[in-house]
Amino acid sequence: MALKVFDLQCDHSHIFEGWFASHEDYDAQQARGLVTCPVCASANITKRLSAPRLNVAHLHAPAAQPVAPAMSDAEKMAALQAAVMRQVRALVRNTENVGPRFAQEARRIHEGDADDRPIRGTATPEERESLAEDGIEVMAVPDFLDDERLQ
């Protein structure tokens, strides 16, 4: 379908394009108050003098692939959060669960008495504090990131 492209201007002097099926389509939408300025939302719009242009590139171009609908900012943020959660869970999944031996095993790895590898497990607050005092960095991982603890 060929579209007519009009240069439009609102009463605040914002200039923008409008694409319509015909002059009549523009007039009908204008009469119903559907044509508004994208900058200030003013409905007081006039057509400016412009050279006629038709959007007919689709007649000469190869068929376009379907385009996924645009996502809102909230949808983009939700998708990003879901991707981060998948990555963090994958990191946790790729650790060895040493259970209540965590503090002892972390200390053994730090001192070179055990193979260097990513581990996870449980430790008391006192054990975590003792590890930190010895320069062994540990991080508490919330249960919801551990697939083994999920229902």
Side-chain angles (χ1 to χ4, degrees):
M1 172 172 107
L3 297 175
K4 300 220 181 228
V5 181
F6 298 126
D7 288 330
L8 306 173
Q9 182 173 355
C10 74
D11 56 343
H12 299 287
S13 301
H14 299 127
I15 299 171
F16 58 98
E17 286 185 346
W19 295 31
F20 301 91
S22 65
H23 287 280
E24 294 77 21
D25 184 39
Y26 166 80
D27 293 337
Q29 289 186 39
Q30 176 71 352
R32 294 188 345 238
L34 299 176
V35 181
T36 59
C37 175
V39 177
C40 66
S42 171
N44 190 4
I45 307 296
T46 56
K47 272 196 262 183
R48 294 176 44 96
L49 185 60
S50 62
R53 291 182 299 186
L54 297 178
N55 180 21
V56 294
H58 66 281
L59 298 176
H60 305 290
Q65 297 297 320
V67 176
M71 291 177 19
S72 70
D73 287 342
E75 291 170 324
K76 288 178 186 174
M77 183 57 70
L80 178 61
Q81 288 172 336
V84 168
M85 289 297 291
R86 281 192 300 276
Q87 290 293 331
V88 170
R89 281 194 171 129
L91 287 171
V92 171
R93 198 176 307 119
N94 289 323
T95 61
E96 179 185 341
N97 189 351
V98 295
R101 299 186 345 262
F102 177 80
Q104 293 84 5
E105 197 63 23
R107 192 172 305 284
R108 288 183 64 225
I109 292 170
H110 180 73
E111 293 170 355
D113 295 335
D115 291 337
D116 189 11
R117 66 198 189 282
I119 62 171
R120 71 179 188 282
T122 56
T124 66
E126 293 81 17
E127 289 172 325
R128 288 193 304 268
E129 186 176 318
S130 176
L131 290 170
E133 287 172 359
D134 292 340
I136 303 170
E137 294 185 27
V138 297
M139 180 182 82
V141 177
D143 290 345
F144 69 88
L145 295 176
D146 188 348
D147 289 342
E148 293 177 9
R149 294 184 183 178
L150 294 177
Q151 297 298 327

